[in-house]
Amino acid sequence: MHVPDVSVVVIVYNDAERLTTAVQSVLDQTLHGVEVVIVDDCSKDRSYAVAQALETAHPGRVRAFRLPENSGGCGAPRNHGIQQATGTYVMFLDSDDVLERNACRNMLDAAERTGSDLVSGMCVRVHLDNRWGKTTEWYPWIYSRTRTLESITEYPDLLVYDTLSTNKCYRRAFLLEQGLEFPVGIHYEDLLFSAQAYVAARRITLIPNHVYFWNVIEKAAAKSISNRRHEIENFVHRMEIHRRVDELLAAKGHSEIKSAKDAKFLKHDLVLHLRDLQLLGDAYRQEFARLANGYLAGIDPAAYGHVTNLQAICAYLLGKEDWDNLLPAADAMTNKGRLTSPLAERDGRVYWCAEHLDDAEGRRILDVTDQGFPSTPLTSLALGNRLTSYEDDGRGTVTLSGSVVNPLGRISPEAELKASLEFRARRQIGVRSFVFPVATVRHAGDSIEWKATADIGSTVRPLGIIDAVWDVRLKLTAGGSRLTTRVSVGGVDLEKAARLRVRPRLTRLVSDRFEPEVTKKGNLSYVLTAQGAAAVRTQTLINSAMHGKAAGVVKRGLRKALRARRNISSGEQKVKVYHEVFSKLPVKKGTVVFESHMGKQYSDSPKAIYEEMVRQGIDFEPIWSYAGGKPTGFPKEATLVRRWSWPYLRALAQAEYWIDNQGFPLVLGKRPGTTYIQTWHGSALKRMGFHEPRTKAQDKPGQRRFQAAVDRFDHFLIRSEHDARTLAKGFRLRDEVLLRTGYPRNDALVAAHRAEADSGERVRGPLAGEFGIDPEKEVLLYAPTFRANADGAVEGFEFPFDVEEFADRLGDRFTLLVRTHYLNSVKLPPSVAGRVIDVSRHHDITPLLALADGLITDYSSVMFDYAVLDRPMLFFAYDYEKYATDIRGTYFDLKEKAPGPVVATADELLQAVAAFDEADAKYAEARQRFLAEFGEYDRGDASRRIVEKFFPRSGK
């Protein structure tokens, strides 16, 4: 009898509809030696009948079994599957998920090649109810490359983070020899089974392949067992499983793994339950605290050093059972960036709350001084706004009361208060929002209290189908500050709240009620639903009339409305309106539109020029472009316009000045009355413009369009004659367009270098404290450029060296800051926390350059800017030949002119970093030559010179 290579155990309970799809994903595997073992956990539906039918349809490949009674979990059916399996290897699959087509083949190949007892691949969460087809890779850094472990101690992150049993392939003989079984009668069985398997395995192999697709429905009516966090029994099971895993690790002497697991418990397991506490009653909270605190007593104290400030605060306040301060902290943790506590100030230090400050540990954990709350502009603080009461008249009117946090009394009692309540459609189609006045808003010590009545029934007019979810916001004006806050539900019970009548604009066929709902983050929203006759009509539509005349009228009307909206908002229509309408309006004197990296950042030379204009007191109207969703980090004093929006187009059409560092949309012509100052974003190593192969290969119309776009530049900033020979020639710019001022963004670097030369000291500044950098360590900044294929498409970023090895070998001496190109992003493994820090979201790279003691780059133009500081540089050019020749070419040979070591392998990089001080002295003269050639005009006064040239102060 032929022995299958792999037995896939498929467990099912009351899931007849999806079982066939799961089994088919096994039958369709590219590895043919696979059997399916279906174990039905005594389902009440047709699941077992479906399993038997599959067995009949695929004799010899599918076998079906049924447990005599329901076990209530995944453990018993999986254990039965192990016993019934005949394959050399065993995998597990849930009936609502599927395997990747090559999963079994990839797992088997790895196991046979390495002799591993356990092979693990990447799981991908597939969000079925996400309209964009969202998928999420499960802890991708663990599977960044193939690796084989002789012991789990070589890579504790695997046990700590990837606790799934389903993305793994086990040697069946190994499971039987070790007596490995899933615990029965308790939830979270995967955590214990996986830990036992990791610890017992003689060899483990990880492969960077997708193997398991975990189908997730976020808004499922029936929550999965692990998601029923409102049931205290759920937390009881979680605690018991964690205790068993701890006992296992203690018995094996794995104290380091235990400490890492404790940190994950504080950051993940505990946080999951804390988020729900404000919605649960006192009885639940008291029992939760008893269970959690009993376990927290055994946590390794060192684990607290690996969690965020708020996570530590929550754990501490839970230990004190201080619900008044814990619940706001949990809310802040759920809503990142939200300040939910009024804070307390003592002896120049700021604390999360005024309680527990007589306890030394409390003072240490509750200290939030470094968060900068007193100095952060009030408009930049996302203040917590808690609902305190909710009333409705059962028809269409609702009365809400709430309390906004007033941290450290920042909103003074003398400040005049005004407020309005906004109901805003989450999908902004047709109508944007409806606003109601707030009748009462007053100072109340640590908070601002408000009360508003909204006649939703006669005012709010949704489309009826599309804008199904509406969020509630309070817009508060306090003195000169304008604040917008979401309304969190807090402990207010909405169970008995009525569904409010509304009048949809398009149709009442599918909705005529507003139902209050608590979002995943605990905020108040309303959802369009149906009631009474409308509910009957809804079911009729859904069940029998989706293709009838009535439904056809509705759908055609919607399509027409949406098509009209799309047409008027299309790019083609916007360009037409820009040229034919907006460009006929008068130019507004003193209006300046700023943009950095196509609206992605508030940074670079446009930022430096803007801030110099503010410093000099220039009278001008600043407008900043931003891309994407809610803008962050942009100046509050400026008008903000979303890139490609109607306000953006009108601002560009009427502006007296354009200032950016990359390029306003190519299809938008510049008016004669507008002056375009192009600061650009870096000197060139890579070939640019018409020197670039892709531009040369364009057809004549394409080249003409590109030329017309760069011809808009009235002034183009350069740092050196190298720029004149390369960038300027590549863009075919006339010499009179060039401004030999240097880059405004580098003024700060010139000033930092002069201050250091004068004082002999390097001042790191507040950024080092913000990142938590050890003052005894040297700081290296790794700032690579992006990679693009032959078609110009940007490739994803992957570390070209083992970042964990870097941290292990050099982390005691160096802190490595990682700053990817703005077109890329990075994910760091938790094991390098504190030693390697991702600073990619810090938009302005200039302060990062000033902070760093040394730079590691490849071909990024950041090398030219960093040269101003006269500090060591290392060049990790692992793909230099491909980059310099195959991709786009370079203007000079980096290896000949680099002011620091050029290395090609990860080992050479680590050796060069270890010899950091030697490189500093060895390349001192080369750095001076490099700066003289590529930064001759960076003298520290570029911002001032540009402002004085184009924006002289009145009367000067």
Side-chain angles (χ1 to χ4, degrees):
M1 179 180 174
H2 176 69
V3 177
D5 293 313
V6 180
S7 295
V8 179
V9 176
V10 182
I11 65 170
V12 59
Y13 176 69
N14 288 351
D15 197 17
E17 295 297 324
R18 294 179 291 189
L19 176 59
T20 300
T21 301
V23 171
Q24 195 62 49
S25 76
V26 183
L27 297 175
D28 290 341
Q29 288 290 299
T30 54
L31 178 69
H32 297 299
V34 180
E35 74 162 352
V36 184
V37 178
I38 305 174
V39 183
D40 174 56
D41 198 9
C42 199
S43 296
K44 297 177 181 178
D45 69 352
R46 296 183 58 258
S47 293
Y48 186 53
V50 172
Q52 289 177 309
L54 289 166
E55 181 179 43
T56 301
H58 304 281
R61 296 198 67 192
V62 178
R63 292 184 291 133
F65 303 88
R66 187 181 193 185
L67 298 186
E69 60 181 5
N70 178 251
S71 67
C74 301
R78 285 178 182 160
N79 291 338
H80 191 75
I82 295 172
Q83 297 302 320
Q84 296 298 334
T86 61
T88 306
Y89 295 89
V90 175
M91 294 176 62
F92 301 105
L93 175 64
D94 292 345
S95 60
D96 52 348
D97 301 327
V98 294
L99 292 182
E100 195 276 335
R101 193 164 181 265
N102 299 293
C104 292
R105 178 180 297 281
N106 290 333
M107 294 280 209
L108 178 68
D109 287 348
E112 296 291 87
R113 185 178 68 254
T114 63
S116 294
D117 290 326
L118 188 161
V119 176
S120 189
M122 193 182 300
C123 171
V124 179
R125 284 167 60 95
V126 180
H127 301 267
L128 297 180
D129 51 354
N130 180 275
R131 66 179 182 273
W132 308 116
K134 176 184 174 183
T135 61
T136 308
E137 293 180 336
W138 194 250
Y139 299 117
W141 74 80
I142 293 177
Y143 299 98
S144 60
R145 62 182 175 86
T146 300
R147 66 172 93 192
T148 297
L149 314 173
E150 300 299 326
S151 167
I152 189 61
T153 57
E154 295 178 19
Y155 196 44
D157 273 5
L158 183 59
L159 183 147
V160 172
Y161 288 93
D162 187 1
T163 57
L164 300 177
S165 65
T166 48
N167 59 334
K168 297 171 177 61
C169 180
Y170 311 84
R171 192 182 300 275
R172 183 167 176 266
F174 159 70
L175 296 179
L176 298 177
E177 289 167 5
Q178 297 293 328
L180 293 181
E181 290 186 337
F182 290 87
V184 177
I186 188 170
H187 306 325
Y188 304 104
E189 55 277 299
D190 270 22
L191 274 71
L192 181 58
F193 181 83
S194 296
Q196 291 172 331
Y198 286 141
V199 170
R202 287 157 296 210
R203 184 171 294 163
I204 302 168
T205 295
L206 311 181
I207 59 174
N209 306 89
H210 291 172
V211 299
Y212 193 90
F213 294 113
W214 176 4
N215 291 326
V216 180
I217 301 177
E218 298 285 353
K219 299 179 180 178
K223 295 292 185 182
S224 66
I225 291 172
S226 60
N227 282 329
R228 297 173 193 163
R229 292 188 292 272
H230 60 285
E231 300 174 3
I232 194 64
E233 192 68 16
N234 183 292
F235 192 61
V236 171
H237 287 205
R238 188 186 287 271
M239 291 296 90
E240 177 58 26
I241 287 293
H242 274 286
R243 287 191 182 90
R244 294 187 191 183
V245 174
D246 291 347
E247 290 171 0
L248 169 70
L249 297 177
K252 298 296 183 179
H254 295 324
S255 58
E256 289 188 7
I257 299 179
K258 167 66 165 61
S259 181
K261 176 184 166 295
D262 285 346
K264 192 226 178 181
F265 176 83
L266 294 172
K267 291 191 292 186
H268 175 73
D269 300 79
L270 186 61
V271 167
L272 283 177
H273 290 267
L274 287 174
R275 287 172 176 169
D276 297 329
L277 279 185
Q278 61 180 334
L279 305 177
L280 300 168
D282 291 339
Y284 180 98
R285 292 175 190 169
Q286 290 170 8
E287 181 62 10
F288 173 80
R290 185 186 68 80
L291 294 166
N293 289 332
Y295 185 78
L296 288 172
I299 290 282
D300 182 355
Y304 285 91
H306 298 284
V307 301
T308 67
N309 201 186
L310 266 176
Q311 288 164 351
I313 287 173
C314 284
Y316 176 82
L317 293 174
L318 177 62
K320 299 295 184 182
E321 296 190 40
D322 180 355
W323 304 109
D324 289 341
N325 289 306
L326 170 59
L327 296 180
D331 183 19
M333 192 163 50
T334 303
N335 294 275
K336 189 175 181 181
R338 180 180 292 178
L339 177 57
T340 57
S341 172
L343 306 177
E345 191 168 6
R346 300 286 188 277
D347 301 323
R349 307 295 295 178
V350 178
Y351 300 92
W352 180 258
C353 57
E355 291 73 24
H356 317 297
L357 300 184
D358 54 345
D359 173 23
E361 183 184 18
R363 286 197 306 274
R364 179 180 62 82
I365 292 176
L366 297 171
D367 192 326
V368 293
T369 306
D370 291 341
Q371 303 294 318
F373 292 126
S375 58
T376 301
L378 193 61
T379 51
S380 298
L381 294 175
L383 300 182
N385 183 1
R386 181 175 55 87
L387 195 65
T388 54
S389 71
Y390 182 100
E391 301 173 6
D392 62 65
D393 64 358
R395 298 185 299 276
T397 301
V398 62
T399 299
L400 308 178
S401 298
S403 176
V404 180
V405 168
N406 184 10
L408 301 174
R410 295 281 303 276
I411 302 175
S412 70
E414 292 76 27
E416 182 181 357
L417 302 178
K418 295 180 181 178
S420 60
L421 200 62
E422 178 189 48
F423 290 71
R424 177 185 288 267
R426 192 171 294 175
R427 293 185 69 187
Q428 297 174 13
I429 297 177
V431 62
R432 291 180 59 83
S433 64
F434 296 93
V435 178
F436 300 89
V438 172
T440 303
V441 55
R442 65 183 187 86
H443 296 276
D446 289 339
S447 64
I448 304 297
E449 295 182 351
W450 58 271
K451 185 174 183 179
T453 297
D455 184 0
I456 291 174
S458 61
T459 306
V460 177
R461 300 291 308 280
L463 286 177
I465 295 176
I466 302 165
D467 47 1
V469 182
W470 292 66
D471 296 318
V472 182
R473 291 174 169 84
L474 181 80
K475 292 181 173 293
L476 174 66
T477 300
S481 299
R482 289 179 291 181
L483 313 171
T484 300
T485 67
R486 285 296 302 273
V487 179
S488 66
V489 174
V492 174
D493 186 6
L494 299 181
E495 287 295 322
K496 298 179 181 179
R499 294 180 174 185
L500 307 172
R501 291 195 184 102
V502 290
R503 296 183 298 147
R505 286 174 179 265
L506 295 182
T507 176
R508 298 188 187 183
L509 287 173
V510 294
S511 59
D512 63 358
R513 292 291 190 275
F514 243 12
E515 182 175 5
E517 179 184 76
V518 183
T519 70
K520 286 170 57 177
K521 293 188 175 183
N523 298 316
L524 176 64
S525 289
Y526 284 84
V527 179
L528 277 170
T529 60
Q531 184 169 304
V536 174
R537 287 194 296 269
T538 300
Q539 290 302 316
T540 302
L541 271 175
I542 293 172
N543 296 331
S544 62
M546 282 308 293
H547 302 289
K549 291 183 178 180
V553 170
V554 173
K555 288 191 282 188
R556 283 194 297 273
L558 280 174
R559 290 194 194 104
K560 185 176 180 179
L562 293 174
R563 187 163 52 248
R565 179 175 174 85
R566 280 195 298 268
N567 288 342
I568 199 169
S569 298
S570 68
E572 181 181 353
Q573 186 68 16
K574 284 185 172 181
V575 172
K576 185 176 181 180
V577 172
Y578 171 85
H579 287 108
E580 295 183 6
V581 180
F582 291 161
S583 293
K584 301 296 190 293
L585 299 173
V587 170
K588 296 172 66 175
K589 293 296 183 181
T591 301
V592 187
V593 178
F594 297 88
E595 185 171 285
S596 179
H597 295 300
M598 296 186 290
K600 293 182 174 68
Q601 302 175 356
Y602 172 61
S603 66
D604 213 78
S605 291
K607 173 187 176 183
I609 295 172
Y610 165 78
E611 292 183 348
E612 179 65 20
M613 293 174 72
V614 173
R615 270 193 298 271
Q616 291 195 25
I618 304 298
D619 183 14
F620 71 114
E621 182 184 346
I623 299 175
W624 269 93
S625 153
Y626 71 92
K630 184 179 179 180
T632 57
F634 287 84
K636 300 297 182 181
E637 299 77 12
T639 299
L640 305 185
V641 292
R642 189 195 306 272
R643 202 170 197 263
W644 270 112
S645 67
W646 291 112
Y648 173 82
L649 297 174
R650 180 164 181 163
L652 283 177
Q654 293 192 271
E656 185 180 8
Y657 288 94
W658 292 359
I659 300 178
D660 92 309
N661 66 350
Q662 191 156 345
F664 290 108
L666 304 185
V667 294
L668 301 181
K670 182 184 69 68
R671 303 171 66 176
T674 300
T675 299
Y676 191 168
I677 303 173
Q678 172 57 256
T679 70
W680 204 241
H681 53 274
S683 298
L685 168 63
K686 306 177 285 286
R687 293 190 177 275
M688 302 293 295
F690 287 99
H691 294 161
E692 190 180 347
R694 279 194 304 118
T695 308
K696 289 180 179 179
Q698 282 185 339
D699 56 18
K700 292 297 182 183
Q703 290 191 358
R704 282 196 296 270
R705 286 193 296 271
F706 183 80
Q707 186 65 62
V710 296
D711 282 347
R712 297 177 301 173
F713 302 160
D714 295 299
H715 305 281
F716 187 89
L717 274 56
I718 62 173
R719 314 177 59 223
S720 66
E721 288 307 304
H722 166 77
D723 291 350
R725 295 189 300 270
T726 56
L727 280 171
K729 297 296 184 186
F731 292 144
R732 298 177 178 173
L733 300 178
R734 305 181 311 278
D735 189 71
E736 58 266 27
V737 171
L738 306 183
L739 289 181
R740 291 168 168 80
T741 60
Y743 282 168
R745 71 182 185 194
N746 288 342
D747 290 349
L749 298 181
V750 174
H753 177 60
R754 287 173 179 167
E756 184 178 335
D758 293 341
S759 67
E761 297 181 6
R762 182 169 302 165
V763 179
R764 286 183 169 176
L767 203 56
E770 180 181 328
F771 294 147
I773 294 173
D774 186 340
E776 300 300 319
K777 293 184 181 180
E778 293 179 278
V779 179
L780 296 180
L781 175 65
Y782 176 48
T785 191
F786 68 95
R787 301 295 191 276
N789 59 27
D791 296 325
V794 176
E795 299 174 351
F797 174 79
E798 293 184 5
F799 274 104
F801 59 91
D802 190 328
V803 69
E804 290 175 308
E805 183 182 3
F806 187 103
D808 290 341
R809 287 176 56 174
L810 300 166
D812 291 340
R813 180 181 168 193
F814 297 98
T815 296
L816 181 66
L817 307 180
V818 178
R819 210 275 192 172
T820 59
H821 191 275
Y822 72 90
L823 294 174
N824 292 135
S825 61
V826 65
K827 289 184 178 179
L828 293 174
S831 57
V832 302
R835 298 176 293 173
V836 183
I837 303 171
D838 177 19
V839 295
S840 302
R841 291 189 177 183
H842 199 285
H843 289 168
D844 195 354
I845 197 172
T846 302
L848 299 174
L849 296 175
L851 171 62
D853 298 302
L855 174 71
I856 303 173
T857 188
D858 43 18
Y859 324 111
S860 171
S861 64
V862 74
M863 70 176 79
F864 302 107
D865 304 297
Y866 197 73
V868 172
L869 292 164
D870 190 26
R871 298 176 190 171
M873 284 187 265
L874 304 176
F875 297 85
F876 186 27
Y878 57 90
D879 57 351
Y880 184 69
E881 298 305 321
K882 177 182 178 182
Y883 193 89
T885 57
D886 296 348
I887 297 179
R888 63 194 295 178
T890 60
Y891 285 117
F892 61 87
D893 189 340
L894 178 65
K895 294 180 179 180
E896 291 182 1
K897 297 198 174 188
V902 180
V903 298
T905 68
D907 284 341
E908 290 175 349
L909 172 66
L910 295 178
Q911 292 171 15
V913 174
F916 182 73
D917 293 336
E918 296 177 20
D920 188 4
K922 181 178 178 181
Y923 286 88
E925 292 185 8
R927 290 199 301 272
Q928 292 300 316
R929 291 195 300 270
F930 192 80
L931 178 61
E933 181 172 357
F934 298 108
E936 59 186 300
Y937 301 133
D938 273 334
R939 303 187 184 103
D941 59 355
S943 300
R944 178 183 59 77
R945 292 174 62 190
I946 290 168
V947 172
E948 291 179 352
K949 178 178 178 64
F950 296 102
F951 309 100
R953 282 176 288 185
S954 57
K956 190 175 178 181

